[in-house]
């Protein structure tokens, strides 16, 4: 076990059974003209974590530990998108409509891709998910079980929406979850802070939280 200084107490990372999950680092959330922008958000906040997420990816790739990327993505016919999701928020552009980076939140469109700086490498799992959580309608749990994964390290956007939903889903399925706090961001600073406190409260009711530096420090001897 690799012991990482974390909150609410040290996290024991099991090197043979750990995967990194990078949630939805897509142009649709991070760049102007995408889905996040259509909902009225200031998307500029999110790009700031790209170097930290890249550092985390480098750490896992160096160890040859599994890396999973998720994308929030719908089929071009939107058959996997509930009508409630399309109308929610009275957006300036709806899911499936064409914006500056192609059709919003639709698989294969330019805006739906992961940002270049964090592009998946060959052999890394890329999961398209129709919901906020990474387990809903994806088959990911079965794939992780087949890989023998018991521990998940989380990064990505947005902290209180897709990251928190995915981490809670993982926690309910028995995974030991660690969120890397400087590798996640929200459109709302207060929501990021609140999410972190919710995760670590009550003795880690959802899991653990640590900065990238704590992982780097713990892994220098691996
Ligand atoms: N709106 C928002 O904060 N997030 C999402 O819609 N999806 C993800 O978090 N990926």
């Amino acid at each position: 076990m690799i012991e990482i200084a974390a909150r609410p107490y040290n996290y024991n990372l099991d090197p043979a059974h750990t995967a990194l999950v990078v949630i939805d680092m897509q142009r649709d959330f991070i760049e102007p003209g995408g889905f996040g922008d259509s909902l009225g958000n200031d998307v500029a906040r999110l790009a700031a974590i790209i170097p930290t997420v890249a550092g985390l990816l480098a750490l896992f790739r160096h160890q040859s530990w599994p890396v999973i990327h998720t994308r929030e993505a719908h089929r071009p016919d939107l058959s996997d998108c509930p009508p409630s999701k399309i109308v929610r928020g009275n957006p300036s552009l709806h899911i499936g409509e064409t914006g500056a980076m192609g059709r919003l939140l639709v698989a294969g469109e330019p805006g739906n891709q992961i940002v270049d700086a964090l592009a998946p490498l060959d052999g890394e799992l890329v999961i398209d998910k129709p919901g906020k959580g990474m387990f809903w309608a994806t088959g990911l749990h079965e794939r992780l079980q087949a890989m023998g994964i018991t521990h998940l390290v989380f990064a990505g956007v947005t902290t209180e929406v897709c990251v928190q939903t995915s981490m809670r889903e993982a926690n309910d399925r028995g995974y030991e979850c660690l969120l890397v706090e400087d590798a996640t961001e929200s459109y709302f600073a207060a929501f990021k802070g609140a999410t972190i406190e919710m995760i670590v409260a009550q003795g880690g009711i959802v899991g653990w939280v640590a900065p990238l530096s704590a992982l780097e420090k713990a892994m220098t001897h691996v």
Side-chain angles (χ1 to χ4, degrees):
M1 289 287 184
I2 299 169
E3 191 168 354
I4 296 169
R7 288 201 294 146
Y9 52 92
N10 288 356
Y11 177 81
N12 285 315
L13 185 152
D14 184 350
H17 302 283
T18 299
L20 171 64
V21 183
V22 181
I23 300 283
D24 299 0
M25 289 298 290
Q26 297 163 264
R27 301 181 67 202
D28 251 323
F29 298 104
I30 294 169
E31 296 185 19
F35 177 63
D37 193 2
S38 81
L39 298 173
N41 294 302
D42 171 12
V43 299
R45 293 180 48 82
L46 270 46
I49 63 162
I50 291 174
T52 318
V53 179
L56 185 58
L57 276 167
L59 212 56
F60 272 70
R61 286 168 175 166
H62 181 71
Q63 302 291 344
S64 299
W65 292 350
V67 173
I68 297 154
H69 305 259
T70 69
R71 296 182 294 211
E72 188 170 344
H74 292 284
R75 296 186 197 125
D77 65 3
L78 302 185
S79 59
D80 59 354
C81 188
S84 61
K85 185 174 179 180
I86 296 175
V87 298
R88 182 72 52 83
N90 193 23
S92 57
L93 271 179
H94 296 87
I95 294 168
E97 290 180 347
T98 301
M101 298 187 287
R103 297 179 66 205
L104 289 195
L105 228 54
V106 171
E109 297 290 327
N112 206 240
Q113 305 310 311
I114 291 167
V115 295
D116 285 345
L118 306 175
L121 299 184
D122 285 347
E124 294 177 352
L125 202 53
V126 181
I127 298 287
D128 281 347
K129 59 181 182 58
K132 303 307 181 193
M134 67 182 189
F135 291 102
W136 165 247
T138 61
L140 179 57
H141 185 45
E142 291 71 20
R143 297 185 77 157
L144 292 174
Q145 283 182 309
M147 293 161 69
I149 298 297
T150 54
H151 289 57
L152 292 172
V153 174
F154 282 88
V157 296
T158 62
T159 314
E160 80 283 11
V161 183
C162 290
V163 176
Q164 182 171 209
T165 303
S166 296
M167 193 164 166
R168 286 177 181 274
E169 285 184 335
N171 187 50
D172 280 352
R173 285 163 176 78
Y175 297 94
E176 303 278 25
C177 298
L178 172 70
L179 174 62
V180 180
E181 61 192 298
D182 45 354
T184 183
E185 194 49 89
S186 167
Y187 299 123
F188 307 90
F191 290 173
K192 174 178 173 176
T195 298
I196 287 170
E197 295 312 314
M198 284 180 221
I199 287 167
V200 303
Q202 305 181 63
I205 194 78
V206 182
W208 286 260
V209 173
L212 174 61
S213 61
L215 277 80
E216 288 175 338
K217 191 172 172 201
M219 287 188 184
T220 49
H221 306 297
V222 178

